[in-house]
Amino acid sequence: MSEPTEQIPPAEDKGPSKSALKKAAKEAEKKKKAEERAAKLAEEAKKREESEVDVAAGLYGPLPLNQSQSRPKRERVQISTLSSRAGQNVLLRARVHTSRAQGNKMVFLNLRQRTDSVQALILAGEKVSKQMLKWAASLADESIVLVEGSVVQTTEPIKSASVPDVEIHVSQIHLISGLDGRLPFTVEDANRPENDNDSAEVQTKRVLLDTRLNNRVIDLRTQTSQAVFRLQSGIGDLFREYLSQHGFIEIHSPKLQGAATESGASVFKVNYFKGDAFLAQSPQLAKQMAIAADFERVYEIGPVFRAEDSNTHRHMTEFIGLDLEMSIEEHYHEVMEMLDGMLKNIFKGLRDRYKKEIEVVQQQFPADDFKWREGPEGTLVLTFHQAVDILVEDGVPREDLDDFSTENEKRLGRLIKAKYDTDYYIIDKFPMALRPFYTMPDPNDPTLSNSYDFFMRGEEILSGAQRIHDPQLLCEKMRSKGVNPDSMKPYVDAFRMGCPPHGGGGIGLERVLMLFLKLNNIRRASLFPRDPKRLEP
Amino acid sequence: MSEPTEQIPPAEDKGPSKSALKKAAKEAEKKKKAEERAAKLAEEAKKREESEVDVAAGLYGPLPLNQSQSRPKRERVQISTLSSRAGQNVLLRARVHTSRAQGNKMVFLNLRQRTDSVQALILAGEKVSKQMLKWAASLADESIVLVEGSVVQTTEPIKSASVPDVEIHVSQIHLISGLDGRLPFTVEDANRPENDNDSAEVQTKRVLLDTRLNNRVIDLRTQTSQAVFRLQSGIGDLFREYLSQHGFIEIHSPKLQGAATESGASVFKVNYFKGDAFLAQSPQLAKQMAIAADFERVYEIGPVFRAEDSNTHRHMTEFIGLDLEMSIEEHYHEVMEMLDGMLKNIFKGLRDRYKKEIEVVQQQFPADDFKWREGPEGTLVLTFHQAVDILVEDGVPREDLDDFSTENEKRLGRLIKAKYDTDYYIIDKFPMALRPFYTMPDPNDPTLSNSYDFFMRGEEILSGAQRIHDPQLLCEKMRSKGVNPDSMKPYVDAFRMGCPPHGGGGIGLERVLMLFLKLNNIRRASLFPRDPKRLEP
């Protein structure tokens, strides 16, 4: 803080005396001179500093924009491999997770790559100048740097790093990409545990879901998000792996439809040249037509669109459907068992192959490990009626159970967990009235159907059934549900040319991910979620 | 054709004479009696036949609609396994591809499952009644039957069957699903070779593409279509397999967008609750944002939508994009080489794992095997300028070559095939003017860009580039292409928070499939194709 250069005395009633004015002028003169001297000294010091050779010149600073100017093909390493590289000199690209100067002799950096991090040190020395230290200390969090240095074993484990047993002693550090503006929140804050038992202090530091989603690119950089989407990718792999082994092929059905199919109410309308098109609510019709076309066993992974104004923790307007359809030889339980085997393969695959990622997520979202029956007893299958009985026994009035509310579904999940110790089960034989027109009725009781839902932690993740493959019965059921068969002629026609008995199911990818990890909101399981109020980013 | 029971004589000027009328009445009486006798005899014969014990009762006829009434768990076999089952009694479900009675002692069936077929025989005998033969002979083509019989080695190979060395001697045959109406064309006709050298007779029997697409479910049952979509599924598997081995994860980006991105002209508008949304033209923005979010290497397989009124052999309004994006360490050729390695893995995988399917398709669509350079010399890479020179040398005026027309692209493909004996090559360093705003300019020549296209048989299948990861340069290029950066704020903001250099590419799945197999029209490579004039089935 510098003093003002001229000090004007307080105004007096009669004005200042001559001697007072003279004294003030002298003092001002004196002060001016002192300041001029100080400025001169400062300038000289600056000049001296500038003329001082920067021993680290060329070893730090911003790089020119990478436009692929050259390709030296120098190896760059992954942080996850550093433990085995003690003693080596390495080059790596990483984010500056945090940076902190200690006095003017040392800068600590926490460098990050996806779910991995390591400590890096810049120590004043022969080849590290004050200028280099100052520059490194000024690097904004989330800058991307290219770092060269030696990997050194640490004497004590570094708690703040995922690789705790080594650190990097930096010899060169350059900026690849900097920040243009302020971070809306830090990645560190975004990664804090979401535990209701946390202290008030920790809880206030939490970043709200809406703030995260508005700045999704930053939110996705947390270790948790990195792990969540690695797991999401794993679910797709495990789904395909199992089905491929069981003779399925992947199909891609059109999302643009000529008619508002299945149920007109929840379909998005598209301006299609001079007419209209509609976005498919599911690949239901196409995958059944693929069965009529002899593909026998098909699956699809693709977006499905629901124009429902549902603003809940588990609804989105666009999500990824894992769908399959297969012909039946004798009984629709062939399909139910295929779906069950496939889901158990997913659960097992996640647990066995993604241990690290699951642990990372559990640090932010504490949850009991997901439980399912693996033994020879098989998956718990209840009929709809049996499920109703369990709820009635627990005090729910039977007249409230024509259908399951979200509340009752969760209650059932808790009851089943307590009684059978499983987070995963199937409910079979839903009432016909609750299912779409293409559902095959039970052979003995026309009020029931050959259909099932699958549940994880008390929430539905899969819905499926045997379908009607007979065109007459199909048209009859369409009419009884108020659908005009003529409005879906290509679909109905597919069954007129001979179609095997068949069934299938559709799974919500994000629901499986959310419930396996207990993320509590489906938006966390979607890269860039869409709901009635969100179309960006 | 029966005669009318009463014959009214032609009217004459004066009316008929009395004798003439009497004679006519007598004749009518005589005829009536003769007819009554004949009818009586026929009825007696029918009664005799009906009272005859049907030795095959229960061994043939329609089954009740399968509603999963029971589950005997009897093994059903695949036609493809029959060669190794000679001497066995087997049960199988199949389509009746064709049926033909020989006299009243024998019925030949050609039974089909996907790309496989076998001959089945029903021979009059102790347990096969005339009624059973008559019923079997009357089965419509494309009916689905459940057949039981013994597998018998044939003395001569059966040319009409894909399994030529055995046939089935049928003991039981039941109808699972019949036809309700006439087939628009036979599957046999739809499977005929499409060879320009064919006889006029064969050519007239060909089914037109539009007729096929209008009745796509039948058209998909041909051996060719069955093989084409098995290959399509294989391309997806090979794409994922390679990328997964190279550290990529699968992402799913939203197709519903808040703004008409990239280029507003060719975007479909969607009614989104009380506002508008737009269908993504590609996952371009999302996959770049995934890179800014540290995912490092991502791929996506999903629908992309183009509101272009292009009615060509290679455009659709909805197709499947195989997209990838990855961070760059030094140079964008890292990405180009990744894409190249991935595509060659697809070509090799198709050739090695899908030999049978490729042969099946070649029977209908004759084509030279697809050729690419596998040796250490690597894939042919030309710069845009070099490609121009090749065309100029061949007589194309240089002034026509600011961009390549479809015609010139194909011409270049022929010239390259002749000179380098490859159907697959890369063109690098496209002029900046031809590329979208997010393309990184060349470091030395600002009129060029770090971008490439990949070609198969003279048609583009992949477009990609290094992207601009610097927000200032990005905004500058957006403005110069008439795009307001504010209209894409979430995208631009992603780069303000630090983003590594990166690049990628997008492949059209159906184009790769069409060109590998030389199907000549992209619609054949799409399950249910969509173009400006087709939204169904």
Side-chain angles (χ1 to χ4, degrees):
Chain A
M1 282 201 292
S2 63
E3 296 278 305
T5 46
E6 281 185 283
Q7 198 167 21
I8 295 165
E12 278 175 33
D13 284 348
K14 304 180 268 172
S17 68
K18 268 191 180 178
S19 66
L21 280 173
K22 214 174 172 181
K23 196 181 167 196
K26 249 188 187 168
E27 273 178 18
E29 179 74 6
K30 207 170 140 191
K31 194 159 195 171
K32 203 179 162 195
K33 278 190 179 159
E35 278 165 5
E36 278 168 3
R37 268 199 308 278
K40 208 178 162 190
L41 283 169
E43 207 179 316
E44 280 168 7
K46 203 182 165 200
K47 269 190 187 162
R48 244 195 338 273
E49 193 172 291
E50 276 171 4
S51 69
E52 213 174 293
V53 176
D54 183 353
V55 291
L59 302 182
Y60 70 96
L63 293 174
L65 179 69
N66 182 325
Q67 291 184 255
S68 303
Q69 288 87 340
S70 68
R71 197 180 181 190
K73 296 197 179 186
R74 276 197 62 190
E75 194 199 3
R76 298 186 183 184
V77 304
Q78 292 297 303
I79 287 175
S80 58
T81 69
L82 289 177
S83 287
S84 62
R85 293 182 188 268
Q88 289 181 25
N89 194 56
V90 295
L91 182 71
L92 65 108
R93 171 174 54 82
R95 291 259 178 210
V96 175
H97 186 61
T98 57
S99 71
R100 178 169 57 85
Q102 201 166 67
N104 53 6
K105 294 282 179 201
M106 211 191 292
V107 175
F108 286 98
L109 299 174
N110 186 297
L111 299 178
R112 196 185 75 227
Q113 284 173 344
R114 303 203 241 190
T115 52
D116 307 307
S117 60
V118 72
Q119 177 166 280
L121 271 176
I122 313 179
L123 274 158
E126 208 179 307
K127 291 203 163 174
V128 173
S129 63
K130 270 182 279 178
Q131 294 95 322
M132 180 169 168
L133 277 170
K134 207 173 151 190
W135 183 84
S138 74
L139 283 169
D141 291 354
E142 297 301 302
S143 302
I144 299 175
V145 289
L146 185 65
V147 167
E148 192 172 341
S150 54
V151 182
V152 177
Q153 207 90 42
T154 56
T155 45
E156 272 177 56
I158 294 158
K159 282 183 199 161
S160 58
S162 78
V163 176
D165 54 342
V166 292
E167 60 188 15
I168 298 174
H169 291 194
V170 176
S171 56
Q172 295 200 28
I173 179 164
H174 288 95
L175 183 69
I176 292 174
S177 176
L179 263 71
D180 177 11
R182 262 187 85 234
L183 284 170
F185 48 82
T186 68
V187 173
E188 210 170 4
D189 278 344
N191 210 41
R192 288 183 199 282
E194 304 249 336
N195 195 328
D196 294 338
N197 304 326
D198 285 335
S199 68
E201 197 203 330
V202 169
Q203 292 201 25
T204 24
K205 279 196 176 167
R206 269 191 213 159
V207 186
L208 294 177
L209 184 59
D210 234 40
T211 312
R212 291 173 186 271
L213 296 179
N214 290 338
N215 301 279
R216 185 63 163 156
V217 167
I218 314 296
D219 188 44
L220 288 172
R221 291 183 192 162
T222 62
Q223 290 186 302
T224 304
S225 292
Q226 292 288 317
V228 164
F229 290 95
R230 194 157 284 270
L231 286 158
Q232 192 197 60
S233 181
I235 292 175
D237 285 342
L238 291 159
F239 176 79
R240 287 185 291 254
E241 182 183 287
Y242 189 85
L243 295 179
S244 193
Q245 282 163 4
H246 287 82
F248 284 74
I249 65 164
E250 184 178 27
I251 58 166
H252 301 284
S253 68
K255 305 308 155 205
L256 291 168
Q257 304 277 359
T261 48
E262 295 189 62
S263 79
S266 53
V267 175
F268 288 114
K269 194 163 100 178
V270 181
N271 298 6
Y272 197 76
F273 302 100
K274 281 165 190 163
D276 292 325
F278 302 88
L279 289 178
Q281 279 180 286
S282 82
Q284 184 63 33
L285 310 185
K287 67 183 183 170
Q288 284 193 257
M289 286 160 83
I291 296 300
D294 284 355
F295 287 104
E296 290 284 329
R297 294 183 164 196
V298 296
Y299 71 82
E300 177 162 2
I301 298 182
V304 300
F305 303 93
R306 302 281 163 91
E308 288 163 11
D309 199 0
S310 302
N311 296 278
T312 77
H313 79 285
R314 65 171 183 173
H315 285 93
M316 295 192 291
T317 49
E318 179 178 351
F319 63 90
I320 297 297
L322 306 177
D323 268 90
L324 69 80
E325 200 76 16
M326 61 184 262
S327 57
I328 287 170
E329 297 296 351
E330 296 175 344
H331 197 285
Y332 77 98
H333 281 177
E334 293 161 25
V335 189
M336 204 174 87
E337 287 165 12
M338 181 70 69
L339 288 162
D340 179 43
M342 181 270 292
L343 274 167
K344 287 195 288 194
N345 184 60
I346 290 177
F347 302 151
K348 191 172 178 306
L350 292 179
R351 186 192 57 194
D352 296 350
R353 301 184 201 168
Y354 296 90
K355 195 170 175 289
K356 176 181 160 186
E357 284 78 7
I358 293 170
E359 279 171 11
V360 165
V361 177
Q362 283 180 345
Q363 280 165 29
Q364 183 163 11
F365 296 96
D368 294 332
D369 280 337
F370 184 79
K371 274 205 164 180
W372 70 99
R373 286 193 190 180
E374 290 185 272
E377 61 192 336
T379 299
L380 178 68
V381 182
L382 301 170
T383 63
F384 184 84
H385 282 330
Q386 287 170 329
V388 166
D389 288 346
I390 290 175
L391 285 166
V392 169
E393 212 172 284
D394 196 53
V396 182
R398 193 175 288 273
E399 55 272 26
D400 293 355
L401 292 168
D402 289 343
D403 194 357
F404 294 150
S405 64
T406 310
E407 207 42 62
N408 280 331
E409 270 184 8
K410 287 197 173 173
R411 184 169 185 161
L412 182 65
R414 287 192 299 271
L415 293 168
I416 286 176
K417 179 74 186 263
K419 193 169 174 188
Y420 300 96
D421 194 29
T422 180
D423 289 309
Y424 165 69
Y425 49 89
I426 300 171
I427 298 181
D428 192 15
K429 303 258 94 165
F430 272 75
M432 192 66 198
L434 299 181
R435 310 301 275 201
F437 63 79
Y438 46 73
T439 311
M440 183 64 87
D442 178 89
N444 306 311
D445 181 347
T447 69
L448 295 180
S449 67
N450 292 348
S451 70
Y452 38 77
D453 278 3
F454 286 42
F455 292 81
M456 286 172 69
R457 301 196 202 256
E459 296 194 49
E460 181 249 308
I461 50 137
L462 180 156
S463 201
Q466 179 178 0
R467 327 296 186 179
I468 297 174
H469 61 283
D470 177 77
Q472 269 74 45
L473 182 58
L474 183 64
C475 289
E476 187 189 301
K477 291 290 173 191
M478 288 172 108
R479 283 188 209 99
S480 79
K481 295 254 182 185
V483 178
N484 180 357
D486 292 340
S487 71
M488 300 177 73
K489 195 173 176 303
Y491 171 70
V492 177
D493 281 352
F495 304 106
R496 296 195 199 282
M497 300 295 118
C499 181
H502 62 283
I507 301 168
L509 168 62
E510 297 87 348
R511 282 203 186 172
V512 173
L513 185 58
M514 165 181 80
L515 292 162
F516 188 84
L517 297 171
K518 228 179 162 185
L519 297 177
N520 304 323
N521 193 306
I522 198 153
R523 291 161 185 80
R524 294 197 180 95
S526 173
L527 197 65
F528 297 109
R530 295 293 183 254
D531 64 33
K533 295 184 175 64
R534 181 174 294 282
L535 276 169
E536 279 181 345
Chain B
M1 283 200 290
S2 63
E3 296 278 303
T5 45
E6 280 183 283
Q7 199 168 20
I8 294 163
E12 277 171 37
D13 283 348
K14 298 180 277 174
S17 69
K18 270 194 177 176
S19 66
L21 279 173
K22 216 173 169 181
K23 196 181 164 193
K26 249 190 184 168
E27 273 177 15
E29 179 73 6
K30 211 170 138 189
K31 190 161 197 171
K32 200 180 165 193
K33 280 192 175 161
E35 277 165 9
E36 279 169 4
R37 265 197 310 275
K40 206 179 163 190
L41 283 168
E43 206 180 314
E44 280 169 8
K46 201 180 162 197
K47 271 190 185 162
R48 248 197 331 273
E49 194 173 286
E50 278 171 5
S51 70
E52 216 173 288
V53 176
D54 183 352
V55 291
L59 302 182
Y60 71 96
L63 292 173
L65 179 70
N66 182 326
Q67 292 183 256
S68 303
Q69 288 87 341
S70 68
R71 198 179 181 190
K73 296 199 178 184
R74 275 198 62 191
E75 192 199 2
R76 297 187 184 184
V77 303
Q78 293 296 304
I79 287 175
S80 58
T81 68
L82 289 178
S83 287
S84 62
R85 293 182 188 269
Q88 289 180 24
N89 194 58
V90 295
L91 182 70
L92 65 107
R93 171 174 54 83
R95 289 259 179 209
V96 173
H97 187 60
T98 56
S99 72
R100 178 169 57 86
Q102 202 168 68
N104 53 7
K105 294 282 181 200
M106 209 191 292
V107 174
F108 286 98
L109 299 174
N110 185 297
L111 298 179
R112 196 184 74 227
Q113 283 173 344
R114 304 203 237 190
T115 53
D116 307 307
S117 60
V118 70
Q119 177 165 281
L121 270 176
I122 313 178
L123 275 158
E126 210 178 307
K127 290 204 164 174
V128 173
S129 63
K130 267 182 283 179
Q131 294 95 323
M132 179 170 168
L133 277 171
K134 205 173 152 189
W135 182 83
S138 73
L139 283 168
D141 290 354
E142 297 301 301
S143 301
I144 300 175
V145 289
L146 185 65
V147 168
E148 192 173 341
S150 53
V151 182
V152 178
Q153 207 93 41
T154 55
T155 45
E156 272 176 57
I158 294 159
K159 283 184 199 160
S160 59
S162 78
V163 175
D165 55 342
V166 293
E167 60 187 16
I168 298 173
H169 290 193
V170 176
S171 55
Q172 294 200 28
I173 178 164
H174 289 94
L175 182 70
I176 293 174
S177 176
L179 264 71
D180 177 11
R182 263 187 84 235
L183 284 171
F185 48 83
T186 68
V187 172
E188 210 170 3
D189 278 342
N191 209 42
R192 287 183 200 283
E194 304 247 337
N195 194 329
D196 294 339
N197 303 325
D198 284 337
S199 68
E201 198 203 329
V202 169
Q203 292 201 25
T204 26
K205 277 194 177 167
R206 270 192 211 156
V207 185
L208 293 175
L209 184 59
D210 234 41
T211 311
R212 289 172 188 272
L213 296 178
N214 289 338
N215 300 280
R216 187 62 163 157
V217 167
I218 313 297
D219 187 45
L220 288 172
R221 291 183 192 163
T222 63
Q223 289 185 304
T224 304
S225 292
Q226 291 289 317
V228 164
F229 289 94
R230 193 157 286 269
L231 285 158
Q232 192 197 63
S233 180
I235 293 175
D237 285 342
L238 290 159
F239 176 79
R240 288 185 290 254
E241 183 184 286
Y242 189 86
L243 295 179
S244 192
Q245 281 163 5
H246 287 82
F248 284 75
I249 64 163
E250 183 177 29
I251 59 166
H252 301 283
S253 68
K255 305 310 154 203
L256 291 168
Q257 304 278 358
T261 49
E262 295 189 62
S263 80
S266 53
V267 176
F268 288 114
K269 195 162 102 178
V270 180
N271 299 6
Y272 197 77
F273 302 101
K274 280 164 192 164
D276 291 325
F278 302 88
L279 290 179
Q281 281 179 285
S282 81
Q284 184 64 34
L285 311 184
K287 67 184 183 169
Q288 285 193 255
M289 287 160 82
I291 296 300
D294 285 355
F295 287 104
E296 290 284 328
R297 295 182 163 197
V298 296
Y299 72 81
E300 177 162 2
I301 298 181
V304 300
F305 303 93
R306 301 282 162 93
E308 288 162 13
D309 200 0
S310 302
N311 295 278
T312 77
H313 78 285
R314 64 172 185 173
H315 285 93
M316 294 192 291
T317 49
E318 178 178 352
F319 63 89
I320 297 299
L322 306 178
D323 269 89
L324 68 81
E325 200 75 16
M326 61 184 262
S327 56
I328 287 171
E329 297 296 351
E330 297 175 343
H331 197 284
Y332 77 98
H333 281 177
E334 294 161 24
V335 190
M336 205 173 87
E337 288 164 13
M338 182 69 70
L339 289 162
D340 180 44
M342 180 270 293
L343 274 167
K344 287 195 288 194
N345 184 60
I346 289 177
F347 302 152
K348 190 172 178 305
L350 292 181
R351 186 192 56 194
D352 296 351
R353 299 185 203 169
Y354 295 89
K355 196 169 176 288
K356 176 182 160 187
E357 284 79 6
I358 292 170
E359 280 172 8
V360 164
V361 177
Q362 283 180 344
Q363 280 166 29
Q364 182 163 10
F365 296 96
D368 294 332
D369 280 338
F370 185 78
K371 275 205 164 181
W372 70 99
R373 286 192 189 180
E374 289 184 272
E377 62 190 337
T379 298
L380 178 69
V381 182
L382 300 170
T383 63
F384 184 83
H385 283 329
Q386 287 170 327
V388 166
D389 288 345
I390 290 176
L391 283 166
V392 168
E393 211 172 284
D394 196 53
V396 181
R398 193 175 286 273
E399 56 270 26
D400 293 356
L401 293 168
D402 290 343
D403 194 359
F404 294 149
S405 63
T406 310
E407 207 43 60
N408 280 330
E409 270 184 8
K410 287 196 174 176
R411 186 169 183 160
L412 182 66
R414 285 192 300 270
L415 293 167
I416 286 176
K417 179 73 186 264
K419 193 169 173 188
Y420 300 96
D421 195 29
T422 179
D423 289 310
Y424 165 69
Y425 48 89
I426 300 172
I427 297 181
D428 193 14
K429 300 259 94 157
F430 271 75
M432 192 67 198
L434 299 180
R435 310 300 277 201
F437 63 78
Y438 46 74
T439 311
M440 183 64 87
D442 178 90
N444 306 312
D445 181 346
T447 69
L448 295 180
S449 66
N450 292 349
S451 69
Y452 39 77
D453 277 3
F454 287 42
F455 293 81
M456 286 172 69
R457 302 195 202 257
E459 296 193 48
E460 182 250 307
I461 51 137
L462 180 157
S463 202
Q466 180 178 358
R467 327 294 186 181
I468 297 174
H469 61 283
D470 177 79
Q472 269 73 44
L473 182 59
L474 183 64
C475 288
E476 187 188 302
K477 292 289 173 191
M478 288 173 107
R479 283 188 209 98
S480 78
K481 296 252 182 189
V483 178
N484 180 357
D486 292 341
S487 71
M488 299 176 72
K489 196 172 177 302
Y491 171 70
V492 177
D493 281 352
F495 304 106
R496 296 195 199 282
M497 299 297 116
C499 180
H502 62 284
I507 301 169
L509 169 62
E510 296 87 348
R511 282 203 185 170
V512 172
L513 185 58
M514 166 181 78
L515 292 162
F516 189 84
L517 297 172
K518 231 181 160 184
L519 297 177
N520 305 321
N521 194 303
I522 199 153
R523 291 161 186 79
R524 292 199 181 93
S526 172
L527 199 64
F528 297 110
R530 295 292 183 256
D531 64 34
K533 295 181 176 64
R534 180 175 294 284
L535 276 168
E536 281 183 341

